[in-house]
């Protein structure tokens, strides 16, 4: 990228593995870190990439019990995502869009997002027989798909040479990549 590195910082603020085996142990730390990050960006819009609707619901339920309840926007299904994005885009408030599926196809230019959180590394779903078969044949393909999705997510908030934003990666499974 020809965008200045200082404009697109990535913070490895890992809180533990978000893999199925460690999820219950890690989620409380992940939620606390999300809250800390939102508190450190009180006047800025942001994004939380959650990778699944189930995890998104847990994050949303957590924030509904905090003073930031009105700030976090969560569409519970894909058909509501664009309406949610438009609400985020048009709101003068420092809203935070929470979604499992905005790593591609959405542009959060300038003040539409100055920070984003990757709560869970977006590994392709191994319950899909085609994905599982491809991974068995070529594990590097599986890793590459994951890395490409993280890179796509990172690109959502810094859209020009003069734009800037911070990305926070919370899932320590990113280090394995």
């Amino acid at each position: 990228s020809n965008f200045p590195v200082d404009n697109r910082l990535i913070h490895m603020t890992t809180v533990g593995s978000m893999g199925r085996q460690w999820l219950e142990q890690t989620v409380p730390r992940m939620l606390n870190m999300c809250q800390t990050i939102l508190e450190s960006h009180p006047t800025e819009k942001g994004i939380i990439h959650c990778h699944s609707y189930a995890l998104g619901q847990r994050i949303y339920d957590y924030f509904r019990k905090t003073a930031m309840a009105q700030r976090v926007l969560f569409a519970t299904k894909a058909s509501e995502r664009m309406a949610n994005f438009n609400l985020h885009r048009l709101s003068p408030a420092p809203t935070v869009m929470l979604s499992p599926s905005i790593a591609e196809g959405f542009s959060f230019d300038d003040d539409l997002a100055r920070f984003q959180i990757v709560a869970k590394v977006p590994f392709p779903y191994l319950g899909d027989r085609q994905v599982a078969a491809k991974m068995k044949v070529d594990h590097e393909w599986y890793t590459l798909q994951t890395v490409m999705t993280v890179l796509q997510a990172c690109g959502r908030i810094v859209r020009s040479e003069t734009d800037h934003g911070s990305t926070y990666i919370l899932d320590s499974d990113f280090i394995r990549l």
Side-chain angles (χ1 to χ4, degrees), residues 12 20 40 53 112 114 116 129 131 148-149 162-163:
M12 294 292 299
R20 184 176 300 136
S40 70
Y53 284 104
L112 286 183
R114 292 295 179 199
Q116 64 183 336
R129 290 183 8 210
V131 169
M148 288 187 335
T149 302
T162 58
D163 202 355

Side-chain angles (χ1 to χ4, degrees), residues 101-119:
S101 56
I102 53 173
E104 297 180 11
F106 286 84
S107 184
F108 292 86
D109 303 64
D110 303 315
D111 289 337
L112 286 183
R114 292 295 179 199
F115 71 95
Q116 64 183 336
I117 299 168
V118 178

Side-chain angles (χ1 to χ4, degrees), residues 118-136:
V118 178
K120 182 180 184 328
V121 173
F123 292 103
Y125 177 55
L126 289 172
D128 180 312
R129 290 183 8 210
Q130 286 183 323
V131 169
K134 284 181 181 180
M135 193 207 44
K136 251 186 180 173

Side-chain angles (χ1 to χ4, degrees), residues 53-172:
Y53 284 104
L55 182 58
Q57 189 66 57
R58 289 182 77 170
I59 295 169
Y60 184 68
D61 290 345
Y62 173 84
F63 279 109
R64 284 182 27 199
K65 299 172 188 164
T66 71
M68 292 180 246
Q70 299 303 312
R71 195 171 172 198
V72 178
L73 306 174
F74 179 55
T76 59
K77 51 189 171 188
S79 60
E80 299 169 349
R81 189 178 47 225
M82 186 53 77
N84 227 27
F85 175 71
N86 287 328
L87 182 61
H88 172 80
R89 186 174 57 82
L90 297 171
S91 175
T95 53
V96 177
M97 191 165 168
L98 168 63
S99 178
S101 56
I102 53 173
E104 297 180 11
F106 286 84
S107 184
F108 292 86
D109 303 64
D110 303 315
D111 289 337
L112 286 183
R114 292 295 179 199
F115 71 95
Q116 64 183 336
I117 299 168
V118 178
K120 182 180 184 328
V121 173
F123 292 103
Y125 177 55
L126 289 172
D128 180 312
R129 290 183 8 210
Q130 286 183 323
V131 169
K134 284 181 181 180
M135 193 207 44
K136 251 186 180 173
V137 170
D138 184 2
H139 194 274
E140 287 183 13
W141 170 86
Y142 185 76
T143 300
L144 181 60
Q145 297 307 303
T146 306
V147 170
M148 288 187 335
T149 302
V150 172
L151 288 173
Q152 284 291 323
C154 287
R156 294 307 91 211
I157 66 170
V158 178
R159 307 296 290 176
S160 72
E161 290 179 18
T162 58
D163 202 355
H164 62 91
S166 292
T167 297
Y168 301 88
I169 298 179
L170 305 187
D171 186 353
S172 66

